[in-house]
């Protein structure tokens, strides 16, 4: 799996962000985009034109959410952002005054507007999720935090249980684990999935199908109703009504590393070792497989190289080439996605595997 922060560094950054972030409910009629040094900034102005908050530069996710809210096609929005920021500001400001007025939640951190969300957005923040998870993990002997990271949009906690391990093939040892993720910017739910760590090449694989995923809690709640044009949201706290969520999260973490679930994943891995790839045209096989799971051409080339290096020309080998390549990419978000894609490929439907594997006209 891709290296990240230590759990100690992760905890320190979560605490720091907790103190540095602020959330606002803003009437869309108060919002205004200005351009300084060729960069868009978001302002909130009262009826007299005075600032209600410090101008904030806008992170990518917030840009995309503004684009969606104003129904400006993202391709055109990004073209304006890159080539004509003044035109972008003109369009955004024009449509902010023309759309039906609404309350939106503006999430900020370190002077950046990082999310532009519905008034129904329910804040379940990293501090709470990490606190619940670490308490559960602390009850388990010898548990290790394999990799942790905070990116612009996500928190990741990947935990490994070295006490629960077995061999896929002789000498190929894998250990049970769990992957927990959360987004504070509207990019994803609280998610808990089984995770497998392969000692041979330090690969990680996340099981994300409907039978594997143990928990997914979306950030939706009751609409915040107010007549105020602008106010700072109080810090969200978990209340008695959230105790079902807390219990479900605790249970999901435990069950993701359950022995029966681990055996199920292990058997899926063993089955995939029996499915040989068509080596007569391996490049085409990899290309077709990549197209099914939205792997780029550059990524496909790197995966093919790892497949040749490992020399395991089975479906299991292909899945491991994907998860091994995940360690090469710069983005931790993308690396985590590739760990999911590896599992998706390994467990693909037999008919899909046959079609992919007939790349040069030779049946599987």
């Amino acid at each position: 799996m891709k290296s990240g922060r230590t759990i100690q560094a992760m905890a320190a950054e979560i605490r720091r962000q907790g103190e540095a972030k602020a959330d606002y409910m803003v009437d869309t009629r108060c919002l205004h985009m200005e351009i300084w040094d060729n960069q868009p900034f978001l302002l909130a102005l009262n009826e007299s034109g005075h600032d209600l908050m410090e101008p904030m530069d806008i992170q990518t996710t917030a840009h995309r959410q503004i684009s969606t809210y104003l129904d400006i096609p993202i391709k055109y929005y990004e073209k304006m952002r890159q080539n004509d920021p003044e035109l972008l500001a003109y369009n955004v400001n024009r449509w902010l005054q023309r759309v039906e007025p609404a309350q939106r939640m503006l999430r900020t951190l370190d002077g950046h507007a990082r999310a532009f969300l519905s008034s129904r957005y329910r804040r379940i923040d990293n501090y709470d999720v990490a606190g619940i998870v670490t308490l559960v993990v602390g009850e388990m002997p010898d548990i290790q935090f394999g990799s942790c990271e905070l990116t612009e949009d996500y928190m990741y906690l990947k935990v490994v249980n070295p006490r629960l391990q077995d061999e896929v093939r002789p000498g190929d040892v894998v250990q049970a684990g769990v992957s927990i993720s959360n987004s504070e910017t509207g990019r994803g739910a609280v998610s808990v999935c089984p995770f497998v760590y392969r000692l041979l090449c330090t690969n990680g694989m996340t099981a994300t199908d409907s039978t594997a995923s143990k928990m997914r809690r979306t950030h939706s709640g009751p609409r915040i109703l107010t007549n105020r044009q602008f106010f700072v949201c109080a810090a969200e706290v978990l209340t008695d009504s959230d105790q079902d969520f807390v219990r479900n999260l605790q249970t999901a973490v435990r069950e993701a590393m359950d022995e029966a679930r681990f055996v199920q994943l292990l058997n899926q891995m063993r089955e995939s070792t029996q499915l040989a790839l068509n080596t007569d045209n391996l490049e085409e096989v990899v290309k077709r497989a990549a197209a099914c799971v939205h792997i780029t051409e550059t990524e496909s080339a790197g995966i093919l190289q790892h497949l040749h290096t490992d020399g395991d020309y089975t479906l299991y080998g292909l899945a491991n080439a994907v998860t091994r390549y995940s360690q090469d990419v710069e983005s931790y978000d993308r690396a985590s996605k590739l760990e999911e894609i590896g599992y998706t490929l390994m467990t693909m439907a037999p008919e899909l595997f046959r079609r992919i594997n007939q790349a040069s006209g030779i049946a599987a």
Side-chain angles (χ1 to χ4, degrees):
M1 74 190 100
K2 189 172 181 65
S3 297
R5 305 173 196 243
T6 65
I7 186 60
Q8 294 81 9
M10 180 82 152
E13 179 59 14
I14 289 174
R15 287 193 295 269
R16 187 201 71 79
Q17 290 190 8
E19 296 172 356
K21 64 189 176 187
D23 299 323
Y24 306 96
M25 288 303 301
V26 187
D27 188 309
T28 52
R29 291 169 293 186
C30 297
L31 292 172
H32 189 76
M33 184 180 285
E34 290 283 353
I35 306 300
W36 290 304
D37 294 329
N38 222 34
Q39 295 297 320
F41 282 75
L42 196 62
L43 293 76
L45 307 173
N46 63 17
E47 293 176 352
S48 302
H50 295 129
D51 289 338
L52 296 170
M53 66 179 191
E54 290 293 322
M56 303 214 174
D57 69 359
I58 308 168
Q59 292 184 341
T60 299
T61 292
H63 272 300
R64 289 183 172 272
Q65 290 162 343
I66 292 169
S67 165
T68 299
Y69 177 72
L70 297 178
D71 201 23
I72 302 174
I74 187 60
K75 187 174 181 179
Y76 180 53
Y77 187 104
E78 286 298 321
K79 184 176 182 179
M80 291 188 290
R81 181 183 169 193
Q82 298 298 324
N83 301 322
D84 195 339
E86 294 288 350
L87 181 60
L88 173 65
Y90 173 82
N91 274 274
V92 167
N93 293 331
R94 184 83 167 175
W95 285 111
L96 280 171
Q97 298 307 310
R98 290 198 169 197
V99 295
E100 186 73 22
Q103 292 284 340
R104 300 288 292 182
M105 180 179 288
L106 183 64
R107 307 210 74 183
T108 74
L109 175 65
D110 296 329
H112 308 292
R114 59 178 182 150
F116 182 72
L117 300 160
S118 163
S119 60
R120 290 186 182 276
Y121 185 79
R122 170 68 166 94
R123 291 173 294 164
I124 304 173
D125 283 351
N126 296 333
Y127 181 87
D128 296 310
V129 175
I132 296 166
V133 169
T134 52
L135 281 176
V136 175
V137 168
E139 301 169 356
M140 304 176 184
D142 300 328
I143 289 293
Q144 300 170 359
F145 283 91
S147 184
C148 307
E149 192 55 274
L150 279 169
T151 69
E152 192 170 286
D153 290 305
Y154 289 94
M155 174 187 74
Y156 300 92
L157 297 166
K158 296 171 186 177
V159 181
V160 177
N161 180 7
R163 288 194 171 199
L164 186 54
Q165 65 177 37
D166 207 335
E167 293 179 320
V168 178
R169 292 182 292 207
D172 188 356
V173 179
V174 294
Q175 296 176 339
V178 59
S179 176
I180 303 101
S181 63
N182 182 47
S183 173
E184 295 186 340
T185 61
R187 292 291 304 277
V190 181
S191 178
V192 179
C193 294
F195 182 79
V196 178
Y197 179 59
R198 187 184 185 212
L199 273 62
L200 191 63
C201 51
T202 66
N203 288 354
M205 185 179 289
T206 304
T208 57
D209 61 24
S210 59
T211 60
S213 184
K214 291 297 181 181
M215 177 184 172
R216 189 175 183 275
R217 167 69 180 268
T218 60
H219 292 258
S220 60
R223 187 181 301 278
I224 299 174
L225 300 175
T226 178
N227 292 322
R228 298 164 65 185
Q229 288 191 320
F230 178 90
F231 67 90
V232 181
C233 300
E236 193 86 61
V237 295
L238 294 178
T239 64
D240 290 342
S241 63
D242 295 307
Q243 290 312 302
D244 282 346
F245 162 69
V246 173
R247 284 190 292 270
N248 288 341
L249 179 55
Q250 292 170 333
T251 300
V253 172
R254 295 186 184 102
E255 289 183 351
M257 290 187 286
D258 177 75
E259 184 173 1
R261 186 68 188 97
F262 176 61
V263 169
Q264 183 181 356
L265 284 169
L266 189 65
N267 287 336
Q268 289 176 311
M269 290 179 160
R270 287 170 175 165
E271 289 170 8
S272 69
T273 66
Q274 303 304 308
L275 299 173
L277 300 177
N278 175 7
T279 55
D280 288 340
N281 195 349
L282 196 60
E283 183 175 354
E284 182 65 19
V285 172
V286 173
K287 181 179 177 181
R288 289 192 178 193
C292 292
V293 288
H294 307 293
I295 288 174
T296 68
E297 187 175 337
T298 298
E299 290 171 340
S300 181
I303 290 164
L304 180 62
Q305 182 177 349
H306 282 301
L307 186 59
H308 283 308
T309 299
D310 195 38
D312 181 0
Y313 299 116
T314 66
L315 183 57
Y316 179 66
L318 176 60
N320 278 304
V322 173
T323 56
R324 172 60 188 85
Y325 179 76
S326 73
Q327 300 180 49
D328 299 340
V329 301
E330 183 176 353
S331 165
Y332 195 97
D333 289 329
R334 185 57 182 167
S336 297
K337 186 63 180 177
L338 286 167
E339 290 175 345
E340 298 176 7
I341 288 173
Y343 175 80
T344 300
L345 285 175
M346 187 187 74
T347 56
M348 73 172 70
E351 178 57 32
L352 178 58
F353 177 72
R354 281 193 291 272
R355 291 203 306 270
I356 288 171
N357 216 29
Q358 291 172 350
S360 60
I362 300 173

